[in-house]
Amino acid sequence: MPTYSISELARELDITTRAIRFYEEQSMLSPERRGQERIYSSKDKVTLKLILRGKRIGFSLAECKELIELYDPGQGNRKQLQTFMSKIAERRAQLEQQLLDIQQMQLELDTAEERCQLAMAELDKKQTVNP
């Protein structure tokens, strides 16, 4: 089974060693120790990939941790997958609401811009009439 040093793992996953140590502090990774050296397993690498994927789709670190802890190789990962699907649905609903909020804000900006343009046109008209 392959093992990785912290710098190898960081380079391979394009993250900092500081980020890896942070996930270790959060008890999401548990490398072996050989003196001062950390030795990461393939499981640690997969865990890091899951964390990074979760972050990319907007999951909190707590949500990532919950999903990773649900994995049970002996029982299969049905519970993990069901929880993941539920969290995906929640995230999708949040994004849809954010999109609606953004669209509403764009309409309000359009209205404010239009009012400003009309007010400026009125000022220009008054300046032309009363120089």
Side-chain angles (χ1 to χ4, degrees):
M1 188 173 283
T3 58
Y4 308 87
S5 70
I6 192 168
S7 57
E8 290 170 333
L9 207 51
R11 191 171 37 257
E12 200 166 317
L13 298 176
D14 196 27
I15 58 174
T16 64
T17 56
R18 186 173 185 205
I20 295 172
R21 285 191 295 274
F22 172 77
Y23 298 131
E24 188 179 337
E25 289 167 11
Q26 300 301 309
S27 302
M28 297 178 81
L29 299 172
S30 51
E32 288 181 33
R33 295 275 188 164
R34 287 191 196 140
Q36 293 287 74
E37 188 181 9
R38 295 170 166 92
I39 306 297
Y40 294 89
S41 67
S42 294
K43 181 180 183 247
D44 291 320
K45 182 179 175 182
V46 168
T47 298
L48 267 172
K49 284 181 174 181
L50 290 171
I51 293 167
L52 297 173
R53 184 178 302 143
K55 285 182 61 180
R56 272 195 313 273
I57 59 177
F59 288 170
S60 69
L61 201 53
E63 289 172 317
C64 291
K65 188 173 184 176
E66 177 188 354
L67 288 167
I68 291 164
E69 288 172 351
L70 284 173
Y71 181 68
D72 182 356
Q75 298 293 319
N77 53 354
R78 176 174 294 280
K79 186 173 183 180
Q80 181 191 41
L81 291 171
Q82 288 172 330
T83 303
F84 189 39
M85 287 177 53
S86 171
K87 292 199 175 297
I88 287 171
E90 287 173 22
R91 183 68 182 133
R92 190 179 308 274
Q94 288 172 346
L95 288 172
E96 287 169 0
Q97 184 58 55
Q98 286 176 332
L99 185 56
L100 290 173
D101 293 344
I102 289 168
Q103 290 168 340
Q104 181 62 41
M105 193 177 297
Q106 286 175 320
L107 288 173
E108 290 175 19
L109 287 170
D110 290 345
T111 301
E113 182 180 40
E114 190 177 312
R115 287 181 181 156
C116 287
Q117 288 172 341
L118 287 171
M120 286 174 58
E122 284 296 316
L123 287 173
D124 290 344
K125 209 188 283 185
K126 284 180 183 176
Q127 287 178 349
T128 308
V129 172
N130 303 320

